[in-house]
Amino acid sequence: MRVIIAGVPGAGKTSIMNEVAKKTNHQIVNYGTVMLEIAKEKGLVEHRDEIRKLPIVMQKELQREAARKIGEMKDIIVDTHLTIKTPSGYFPGLPIWVLNEIKPDLIVVVEANPHEIIRRRKADTTRQRDFETQDDIREHLDANRYAAFTCSVLTGAPVMILTNRDGMLEQSVERFMEAFK
Ligand code: AMP
Ligand code: MG
C-alpha cells in the first residue's frame, strides 16, 4: 500500500509516524529528508527549514528529484506536506507530477487545534519555524484540505482527516493503523 500523511507543521505527523513505525512493515519516508539530502549535495542549504525559502524553481526541481526516488519505493508511508508556506505563497507539495510518481492509495491529513499547534511549535526547539497566529494556522489548515481533496479527485485515493488532539496520540495511531485493514 502507498500512503501519504500530511499536515501543517506541529500537527503531529512525525510523532504519529514514530509510533506507526513500531507496528508496520511499510517503509516510512520523510519527503523533506529526501529533498534535504539532494539539496545538501548541491550545496543549497544546511537545514531543512531553509528549503521553503529557496527560489520556487529550485524547490520544484528538488521536489521533482525526490518524487522520482520515492516513486521507486514499494509499500511506503510518505510523511510530507499538502502545501508549504513560502515567501511566494502556498506552494503545492503534491502537484500532479508528484502524485504520478507516488501513486497514493490513501491520503491522511493530520490536524489539531491552532492553539495546540502553536504550543507544539514553541516546544520543538529542533526546528526554525516562523511564528504564526491562530488565524494564519486556520488558513493553512483550510488550504491543506482543499489540496487534499484535489489530490483525492485526481488519484481516486480517499482522504482521512485525522484529528490529533493533545494527549490523544495513541488514539490517532490506532485510527491510522485501521486504514491498513
Ligand atoms: P518537514 O520536516 O516535513 O517539515 O519537511 C521539511 C521541508 O521539506 C519542508 O518545510 C518543505 O520545504 C520540504 N518539503 C517536504 N515535503 C515536500 C513536498 N512534497 N514538496 C515540496 N517541498 C516539500
Ligand atoms: Mg515533520
Side-chain angles (χ1 to χ4, degrees), residues 13-14 30 48 79 81 127 129:
K13 297 182 301 289
T14 307
N30 186 301
R48 59 202 305 124
D79 176 340
H81 295 276
R127 302 297 302 259
R129 283 174 171 155

Side-chain angles (χ1 to χ4, degrees), residues 29-36 38 60-73 98 101-102:
V29 190
N30 186 301
Y31 204 112
T33 302
V34 178
M35 283 178 68
L36 179 64
I38 301 167
K60 258 190 205 165
E61 188 50 41
L62 294 169
Q63 181 187 52
R64 202 183 277 276
E65 285 185 42
R68 273 191 218 115
K69 282 196 174 176
I70 298 168
E72 285 167 10
M73 303 174 185
V98 172
E101 298 282 351
I102 302 205

Side-chain angles (χ1 to χ4, degrees), residues 39-178:
K40 274 184 174 169
E41 266 171 36
K42 295 180 193 274
L44 295 173
V45 298
E46 283 172 9
H47 192 278
R48 59 202 305 124
D49 286 315
E50 292 170 325
I51 301 172
R52 66 177 179 274
K53 313 267 165 99
L54 287 170
I56 293 293
V57 281
M58 281 185 195
Q59 293 188 52
K60 258 190 205 165
E61 188 50 41
L62 294 169
Q63 181 187 52
R64 202 183 277 276
E65 285 185 42
R68 273 191 218 115
K69 282 196 174 176
I70 298 168
E72 285 167 10
M73 303 174 185
K74 292 207 169 62
D75 286 336
I76 43 171
I77 302 169
V78 186
D79 176 340
T80 189
H81 295 276
L82 286 150
T83 63
I84 296 109
K85 259 195 186 178
T86 75
S88 312
Y90 290 104
F91 174 58
L94 301 168
I96 187 72
W97 52 86
V98 172
L99 290 171
N100 285 342
E101 298 282 351
I102 302 205
K103 300 184 183 71
D105 301 303
L106 172 67
I107 299 162
V108 179
V109 185
V110 182
E111 296 185 350
N113 291 329
H115 69 268
E116 292 173 323
I117 289 169
I118 289 175
R119 196 158 4 91
R120 292 173 194 173
R121 286 182 185 176
K122 276 193 192 139
D124 182 358
T125 53
T126 66
R127 302 297 302 259
Q128 298 159 16
R129 283 174 171 155
D130 308 309
F131 177 76
E132 289 188 295
T133 64
Q134 292 201 25
D135 281 345
D136 295 333
I137 292 172
R138 227 166 265 126
E139 182 186 271
H140 198 178
L141 288 165
D142 285 346
N144 280 349
R145 280 201 181 185
Y146 306 143
F149 286 102
T150 306
C151 294
S152 177
V153 170
L154 289 170
T155 60
V159 172
M160 177 193 279
I161 305 282
L162 186 55
T163 310
N164 180 39
R165 294 261 151 73
D166 281 348
M168 304 286 273
L169 185 63
E170 214 175 293
Q171 286 87 337
S172 302
V173 172
E174 249 168 57
R175 177 134 189 260
F176 183 89
M177 290 307 298
E178 265 170 35

